[in-house]
């Protein structure tokens, strides 16, 4: 092969790779994302668990990505002292070089209470944008301290492992059977 043919062939490969990446081919080279663990708790909507609000009170689902050690406190004393789950511990043990967190809230009427869990495998939908499929499942009995509440909030924290760090994301929340989408919402990284 002549040098000119070799250089032309090399340029075509580089150009072809750039075009494939531009139309979504990067998914073949992006590192996998694996759900690792999660904690969650249902509480009265009047009890704030997250220091900085994740969304407005009229949003059913809201969330944000935590991709580096937080400079400020994430959870209120009410969340940290909740007897059902410890929220601060997952943040303390997360290796932000290979892991990131999804912090989210779901608002609901007391009679329609549910938890939110990871569903299927997360995937990259852009160079730094991740798609996180979630699923709702009915929540069983609640304690007497919540039974007279008109509205509840499920606060959750999920850890995912990946060698790449997302800068934004999209969550797709399915019903418990996985047959219908309840909501899609955008997630930013703070």
């Amino acid at each position: 092969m002549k040098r000119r043919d070799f250089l032309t062939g090399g340029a075509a490969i580089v150009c072809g790779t750039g075009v494939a990446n531009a139309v979504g081919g990067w998914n073949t080279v992006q590192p996998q994302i694996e759900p690792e663990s999660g904690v969650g708790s249902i509480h009265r909507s009047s009890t704030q668990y997250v220091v900085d609000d994740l969304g407005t009170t009229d949003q059913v689902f809201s969330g944000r990505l935590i991709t580096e050690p937080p400079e400020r406190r994430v959870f209120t004393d009410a969340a940290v002292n909740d007897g059902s789950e410890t929220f601060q511990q997952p943040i303390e043990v997360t290796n932000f070089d290979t892991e990131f967190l999804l912090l989210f809230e779901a608002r609901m009427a007391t009679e329609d209470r549910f938890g939110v869990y990871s569903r299927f495998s997360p995937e990259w939908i852009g160079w730094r944008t991740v798609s996180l499929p979630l699923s709702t499942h009915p929540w069983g009995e609640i304690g007497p301290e919540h039974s007279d509440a008109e509205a509840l909030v499920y606060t959750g924290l999920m850890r995912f492992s990946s060698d790449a760090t997302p800068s934004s994301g999209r969550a797709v929340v399915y019903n418990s059977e996985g047959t219908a989408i309840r909501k899609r919402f955008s997630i930013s990284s703070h």
Side-chain angles (χ1 to χ4, degrees):
M1 179 182 270
K2 292 185 179 180
R3 183 168 190 244
R4 181 180 297 171
D5 294 338
F6 180 76
L7 291 175
T8 303
I13 290 172
V14 170
C15 182
T17 302
V19 170
N21 283 343
V23 296
W26 54 71
N27 286 339
T28 60
V29 296
Q30 280 285 59
Q32 285 195 303
I33 305 165
E34 297 292 331
E36 292 289 314
S37 61
V39 296
S41 181
I42 276 195
H43 53 92
R44 290 175 170 272
S45 61
S46 60
T47 305
Q48 187 172 342
Y49 270 30
V50 179
V51 171
D52 295 324
D53 287 334
L54 296 179
T56 60
T57 56
D58 61 342
Q59 291 177 306
V60 175
F61 298 98
S62 55
R64 76 170 176 248
L65 295 170
I66 302 174
T67 58
E68 57 189 38
E71 294 178 6
R72 299 183 352 203
R73 191 171 174 185
V74 176
F75 295 102
T76 64
D77 288 337
V80 174
N81 297 328
D82 181 355
S84 60
E85 299 288 356
T86 303
F87 284 96
Q88 191 60 36
Q89 195 265 348
I91 294 174
E92 294 168 357
V93 301
T94 296
N95 176 357
F96 288 99
D97 291 333
T98 59
E99 298 171 320
F100 64 91
L101 300 166
L102 169 63
L103 172 62
F104 62 92
E105 291 180 330
R107 300 180 182 284
M108 67 206 73
T110 302
E111 60 274 6
D112 298 327
R113 61 192 174 270
F114 57 86
V116 180
Y117 308 93
S118 181
R119 179 180 185 86
F120 310 122
S121 294
E123 62 184 7
W124 295 100
I125 55 174
W127 187 248
R128 302 277 311 265
T129 303
V130 64
S131 175
L132 300 171
L134 305 173
S135 178
T136 60
H137 292 283
W139 191 273
E141 295 298 316
I142 55 175
E145 69 277 12
H146 302 315
S147 60
D148 63 340
E150 289 183 24
L152 297 172
V153 173
Y154 178 87
T155 299
L157 184 66
M158 292 182 187
R159 184 170 53 228
F160 297 88
S161 66
S162 178
D163 289 334
T165 303
S167 59
S168 63
R170 294 186 188 132
V172 181
V173 184
Y174 293 87
N175 63 5
S176 57
E177 295 82 29
T179 56
I181 295 175
R182 290 184 66 157
K183 182 72 176 172
R184 296 176 194 263
F185 65 97
S186 296
I187 309 163
S188 64
S189 175
H190 293 284

